[in-house]
């Protein structure tokens, strides 16, 4: 069954009996070009970096990877596969993988275009950093 966050509704039109992983499999299979291969490769890297990652599908078919909160999404466009990190602005990126959505105060993205290669070790480090940020103890609020 498709996983949804508490208080949200499953995507409209999606067969609720299908698992998110099978929906992502179908999305990858439906992309008969470099985008499907790229999305599949990125998905494998995410799973290698975080074996406990939870796969979800939101917003009418967008793959989402979470661990104690959203890590990133995998959107596919005609000219790019966009990996948007929900808290990317707070993540270290020494390899300079983030190349899109750089103006915002929260999100950051990696746009991959046909023929481009992703630094796999730097990407896995970014995934692990996102998980560490999501699982870090939250500071206690103090009253004044």
């Amino acid at each position: 069954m498709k996983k949804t966050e508490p208080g949200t509704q499953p995507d409209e039109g999606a067969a609720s009996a299908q698992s998110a992983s099978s929906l992502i499999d179908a999305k990858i299979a439906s992309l008969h070009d470099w985008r499907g291969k790229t999305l599949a490769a990125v998905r494998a890297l995410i799973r290698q970096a975080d074996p406990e990652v939870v796969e979800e599908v939101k917003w009418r078919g967008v793959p989402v990877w979470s661990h104690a909160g959203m890590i990133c999404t995998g959107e596919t466009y005609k000219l790019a596969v966009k990996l948007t990190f929900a808290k990317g602005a707070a993540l270290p990126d020494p390899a300079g993988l983030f190349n899109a959505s750089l103006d915002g105060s929260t999100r950051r993205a990696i746009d991959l275009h046909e023929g481009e290669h992703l630094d796999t070790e730097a990407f896995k480090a970014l995934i692990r950093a996102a998980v560490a940020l999501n699982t870090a103890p939250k500071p206690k609020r103090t009253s004044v």
Side-chain angles (χ1 to χ4, degrees):
M1 190 162 168
K2 206 164 97 169
K3 182 181 181 334
T4 57
E5 294 296 321
T8 62
Q9 298 297 317
D11 285 342
E12 296 172 51
S16 60
Q18 285 186 297
S19 73
S21 292
S22 65
L23 290 170
I24 294 171
D25 289 341
K27 171 122 183 147
I28 289 168
S30 74
L31 298 165
H32 301 290
D33 58 13
W34 66 272
R35 296 172 303 157
K37 292 175 186 166
T38 300
L39 189 59
V42 166
R43 179 190 199 191
L45 292 173
I46 293 169
R47 288 173 161 180
Q48 288 170 20
D50 180 18
E52 296 178 23
V53 72
V54 174
E55 292 188 319
E56 302 172 278
V57 175
K58 297 185 180 185
W59 310 296
R60 297 186 181 166
V62 175
V64 177
W65 292 276
S66 300
H67 184 145
M70 188 183 299
I71 297 170
C72 70
T73 64
E75 302 154 87
T76 53
Y77 299 99
K78 186 175 182 177
L79 298 176
V81 172
K82 179 182 279 296
L83 307 169
T84 302
F85 283 72
K87 300 176 186 173
L91 299 176
D93 182 23
L97 295 179
F98 291 131
N99 61 6
S101 304
L102 302 175
D103 296 333
S105 61
T106 307
R107 296 179 294 137
R108 293 286 183 272
I110 302 168
D111 282 358
L112 298 170
H113 301 94
E114 187 172 10
E116 291 181 342
H117 297 282
L118 183 63
D119 179 334
T120 59
E121 291 309 311
F123 182 72
K124 289 193 284 188
L126 203 55
I127 295 294
R128 288 189 285 268
V131 171
L133 181 62
N134 285 352
T135 58
K138 306 297 181 237
K140 293 186 179 186
R141 296 173 71 165
T142 59
S143 59
V144 178

